[in-house]
Amino acid sequence: MRFMAVSRFLRNLVLGLAVLTTGFLPVAMAEAPMVKKQVPGYYRMPLGQFEVTALFDGAFDVDIGIMSNATEAELHLILERNYVDGNKVQTATNVYLVNTGKNLVLVDAGYGAFSGPKMGKTLENLKAAGYAPEQVDTILLTHMHGDHVGGLVDAEGKMVFPNAKVYANQMESDFWLSEKNAIEANDALKKRFKIAESSAAPYRAAGKWHTFRHKDEVVPGIKAISALGHTPGHTLFRVTSGDARLFILGDIVVSPTIQFARPDVALEFDMDPDQSVLTRYKVFNLAAKYRWMVTASHLPYPGIGQVRSNGDGTYGWIPLQLMPE
């Protein structure tokens, strides 16, 4: 008994000294290296009998210096309310994969090899989501800016999706693939023309480049709808399966931090700024009124949710809650 009492005394003495010297009880510690790698960027959701997978292509910064229809002070006030310091605000780039059961449809293709290190991740996230690029049979383009078409080809200019037919709006295709337009373009636009032409080239050569018109049902269950302003043939897609609907908005909104609070703000990327503003108001109003489920290329990843009207000409974003399996 005396031995046990001494043992308890010594044990308590050691614990007491540990608390006094470190402030904490001793615990078993094991060193583990930091992973320093993000989780794969894909999110899956059912849509009626379809399945939609959001793929993260990356993110980039938008400088308020390329925004119009608002003063710098007004824009800074919005940024400050969103805890953003400086003149730049980050925006995501999302791509959407729609499995209809009959077709595997990719809506836009990300930036691909034309991007810097923070973009061009669609292909790796497509694979992480369980698909191979050879399985994609249809690609629908909201428009032909580099962050939407660059991922069609690899660094050598070869097709990334060899079994896919690519569809662009007729006006969009005619504009960006016009040699005359490319020659006459200003310096800011020449790079965009080059990426569009390079991305389309192998598909055109293989007879896999096709066009559609607005109101066409390009794939059963997926209808093209006019959303002009950002580019000459900018398109949103309505995806329908049974009673379920999802609207893929493309670049209706490029800077959600700014453009939900100020839908009248246009960006340098908008080729017809006035029309882009009108289209944004129209789509926001309809989405809020009918409580559409929407996605867009530059909403916070995974970019799926609903638009809320605040009743004063401003809007809010209600993101979809992450659901377990």
Side-chain angles (χ1 to χ4, degrees), residues 63-94:
D63 195 306
I64 62 172
I66 68 169
M67 300 180 183
S68 57
N69 300 333
T71 66
E72 185 175 327
E74 290 171 332
L75 295 173
H76 270 297
L77 183 59
I78 297 172
L79 294 184
E80 289 168 6
R81 287 175 176 170
N82 287 276
Y83 301 153
V84 178
D85 297 323
N87 295 322
K88 295 182 178 182
V89 59
Q90 181 176 289
T91 188
T93 296
N94 311 310

Side-chain angles (χ1 to χ4, degrees), residues 6-310:
V6 172
S7 297
R8 283 198 297 269
F9 172 79
L10 291 174
R11 182 187 62 192
N12 292 337
L13 178 63
V14 171
L15 291 174
L17 290 173
V19 172
L20 288 173
T21 56
T22 67
F24 300 97
L25 288 172
V27 294
M29 298 294 290
E31 289 187 5
M34 295 184 182
V35 178
K36 296 184 179 181
K37 182 176 177 62
Q38 191 52 272
V39 296
Y42 70 89
Y43 174 79
R44 239 187 294 273
M45 61 169 275
L47 185 77
Q49 298 302 308
F50 294 175
E51 186 175 71
V52 177
T53 304
L55 304 172
F56 184 57
D57 190 66
F60 62 95
D61 293 328
V62 178
D63 195 306
I64 62 172
I66 68 169
M67 300 180 183
S68 57
N69 300 333
T71 66
E72 185 175 327
E74 290 171 332
L75 295 173
H76 270 297
L77 183 59
I78 297 172
L79 294 184
E80 289 168 6
R81 287 175 176 170
N82 287 276
Y83 301 153
V84 178
D85 297 323
N87 295 322
K88 295 182 178 182
V89 59
Q90 181 176 289
T91 188
T93 296
N94 311 310
V95 170
Y96 297 95
L97 187 70
V98 182
N99 191 336
T100 72
K102 295 182 178 180
N103 297 98
L104 188 61
V105 183
L106 192 67
V107 181
D108 292 332
Y111 222 146
F114 295 99
S115 67
K118 293 183 178 182
M119 298 275 287
K121 303 182 185 300
T122 291
L123 183 59
E124 66 179 79
N125 286 321
L126 175 81
K127 293 177 180 178
Y131 292 100
E134 292 80 9
Q135 292 176 281
V136 176
D137 57 66
T138 308
I139 299 174
L140 306 181
L141 301 176
T142 59
H143 61 296
M144 291 176 64
H145 277 165
D147 54 328
H148 299 259
V149 300
L152 291 173
V153 295
D154 61 19
E156 297 177 350
K158 297 179 180 178
M159 289 186 288
V160 170
F161 306 97
N163 299 318
K165 295 179 180 179
V166 182
Y167 292 83
N169 173 263
Q170 183 72 61
M171 293 184 294
E172 191 77 3
S173 182
D174 288 347
F175 179 81
W176 292 107
L177 300 181
S178 165
E179 184 177 353
K180 179 176 181 292
N181 288 346
I183 292 172
E184 295 176 354
N186 60 36
D187 290 341
L189 276 176
K190 283 189 183 298
K191 180 180 178 181
R192 295 175 196 168
F193 273 101
K194 179 61 177 176
I195 293 176
E197 191 280 327
S198 299
S199 301
Y203 296 90
R204 295 175 75 191
K208 294 177 177 291
W209 187 266
H210 304 274
T211 59
F212 61 82
R213 298 184 184 277
H214 290 141
K215 297 186 179 181
D216 286 352
E217 187 176 47
V218 192
V219 173
I222 305 180
K223 184 176 182 178
I225 299 173
S226 175
L228 303 182
H230 185 60
T231 59
H234 188 267
T235 301
L236 67 84
F237 294 102
R238 186 187 70 196
V239 184
T240 305
S241 177
D243 294 330
R245 283 185 174 183
L246 177 71
F247 292 80
I248 302 178
L249 304 183
D251 280 14
I252 291 291
V253 52
V254 175
S255 177
T257 303
I258 297 293
Q259 290 176 307
F260 279 120
R262 288 289 301 269
D264 60 320
V265 169
L267 278 73
E268 185 181 89
F269 308 131
D270 297 323
M271 301 189 70
D272 186 340
D274 292 341
Q275 181 60 53
S276 74
V277 169
L278 291 174
T279 297
R280 183 159 39 258
Y281 271 115
K282 179 180 179 180
V283 171
F284 280 5
N285 283 331
L286 289 171
K289 180 178 179 179
Y290 295 107
R291 298 188 178 185
W292 289 351
M293 182 66 69
V294 305
T295 72
S297 304
H298 301 298
L299 288 172
Y301 175 79
I304 305 171
Q306 293 173 288
V307 178
R308 179 193 68 241
S309 172
N310 295 327

